[in-house]
């Protein structure tokens, strides 16, 4: 994904040379059009497609199993990766919505941005390494096993998926907009065609980790 651009009060993404507007001439947010769907949790719930987009947000309360853990949302898991303490991590897994984000941002969580390491079950995981990308793959595949999520993802059709409140720099977030959207696009394609996404997701993990290595993000940490 690319950064946002402005034209007066209008705001847009440049997607493959096409301007995809997410704010109109009055500066009002657009969540759904024939071209795209914004999957941020702030989507209004008036239009059916907006309700669908909200359910694709990491904040949405989905009960599912990630490895042997019963979790409440993707966000709870992502925020949980910040905790070295296993019990605190498991507590994070129980949260959803903005509560999950707040829990991971609390003072007792580790500031992973200092050294670039996250944790899973007490073990260090390099934020910029392939093992973390594989962990993200497994997380989203686990979520895709929920029929409601699968149906809603397929329901978006061929619309461009956008996350207008996402962060692009991997040094500042445990999941960039690009890491998020690309996984949903792969899962959507494979679910529609009834194909196993494992190979494509594995390739994605390799590509992203190689890019991070080339960019030497660890050396750029504050």
């Amino acid at each position: 994904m690319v950064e946002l651009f402005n034209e007066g009060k209008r705001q847009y993404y440049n997607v493959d040379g096409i301007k995809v507007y997410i704010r109109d001439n009055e500066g009002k947010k657009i969540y759904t059009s024939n071209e795209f769907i914004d999957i941020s949790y702030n989507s209004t719930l008036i239009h059916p497609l907006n309700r669908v987009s909200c359910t694709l947000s990491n904040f949405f309360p989905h009960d599912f199993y990630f490895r042997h853990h019963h979790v409440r949302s993707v966000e709870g898991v992502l925020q949980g990766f910040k905790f070295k303490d296993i019990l605190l991590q498991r507590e994070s897994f129980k949260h959803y919505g903005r509560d999950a984000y707040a829990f991971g941002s609390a003072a007792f969580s580790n500031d992973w941005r200092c050294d670039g390491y996250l944790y899973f079950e007490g073990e260090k995981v390099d934020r910029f390494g392939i093992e973390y990308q594989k962990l993200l793959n497994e997380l989203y595949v686990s979520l895709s096993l929920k029929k409601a999520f699968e149906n809603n993802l397929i329901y978006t059709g061929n619309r461009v998926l956008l996350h207008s409140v996402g962060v692009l720099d991997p040094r500042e977030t445990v999941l960039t907009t690009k890491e998020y959207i690309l996984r949903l696009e792969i899962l959507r394609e494979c679910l529609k065609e009834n194909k196993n996404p494992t190979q494509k997701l594995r390739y994605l993990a390799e590509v992203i980790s190689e890019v991070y290595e080339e960019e030497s993000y660890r050396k750029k940490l504050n």
Side-chain angles (χ1 to χ4, degrees):
M1 303 301 294
V2 296
E3 62 182 323
L4 287 169
F5 298 91
N6 294 298
E7 286 183 352
K9 291 184 178 181
R10 294 195 299 177
Q11 196 173 49
Y12 69 91
Y13 280 103
N14 188 323
V15 181
D16 295 330
I18 301 173
K19 292 180 179 179
V20 177
Y21 289 94
I22 66 168
R23 291 188 185 275
D24 62 20
N25 289 323
E26 302 300 320
K28 296 179 180 179
K29 188 73 178 288
I30 305 169
Y31 292 108
T32 304
S33 74
N34 290 331
E35 292 80 28
F36 80 95
I37 185 165
D38 187 346
I39 58 177
S40 63
Y41 195 60
N42 291 325
S43 296
T44 67
L45 301 181
I46 298 174
H47 191 285
L49 269 174
N50 288 343
R51 290 198 293 272
V52 168
S53 71
C54 190
T55 67
L56 300 181
S57 166
N58 291 329
F59 280 21
F60 195 81
H62 287 294
D63 284 313
F64 65 101
Y65 283 89
F66 170 55
R67 296 202 174 175
H68 58 278
H69 296 282
H70 179 208
V71 303
R72 297 295 308 282
S73 70
V74 170
E75 188 67 24
V77 177
L78 294 173
Q79 295 299 326
F81 290 151
K82 298 177 180 179
F83 294 95
K84 183 177 181 179
D85 186 285
I86 294 176
L87 293 180
L88 286 174
Q89 182 172 87
R90 290 176 180 173
E91 179 63 28
S92 180
F93 291 173
K94 299 176 183 178
H95 292 267
Y96 65 88
R98 293 177 181 84
D99 287 344
Y101 180 82
F103 191 85
S105 302
F108 48 80
S109 66
N110 301 291
D111 189 357
W112 64 273
R113 292 171 296 183
C114 293
D115 62 8
Y117 286 105
L118 296 166
Y119 296 88
F120 183 64
E121 297 182 334
E123 299 294 327
K124 263 187 177 182
V125 183
D126 185 352
R127 165 66 182 94
F128 310 109
I130 192 168
E131 292 307 316
Y132 183 64
Q133 294 300 318
K134 290 179 179 178
L135 205 57
L136 293 177
N137 284 350
E138 189 172 348
L139 175 60
Y140 281 96
V141 168
S142 297
L143 175 61
S144 72
L145 297 178
K146 282 191 67 73
K147 196 64 180 177
F149 178 84
E150 175 189 342
N151 289 341
N152 287 337
L153 184 57
I154 292 174
Y155 188 57
T156 62
N158 295 319
R159 287 176 174 83
V160 174
L161 300 177
L162 297 179
H163 188 226
S164 58
V165 296
V167 178
L168 300 175
D169 190 341
R171 294 169 296 176
E172 297 297 328
T173 178
V174 296
L175 184 78
T176 65
T177 301
K178 194 169 189 176
E179 290 170 322
Y180 179 23
I181 296 297
L182 287 176
R183 284 179 169 83
L184 292 190
E185 289 178 341
I186 289 173
L187 287 171
R188 180 173 66 176
E189 176 188 350
C190 292
L191 287 170
K192 286 166 65 175
E193 298 177 0
N194 197 27
K195 293 182 178 179
N196 190 320
T198 301
Q199 185 174 351
K200 288 189 174 183
L201 288 173
R202 184 187 300 121
Y203 178 70
L204 176 66
E206 292 171 353
V207 169
I208 292 177
S209 59
E210 287 174 3
V211 169
Y212 288 169
E213 184 177 355
E214 291 175 3
E215 294 291 333
S216 301
Y217 279 110
R218 181 171 299 287
K219 296 179 182 178
K220 299 178 183 179
L221 292 176
N222 296 327

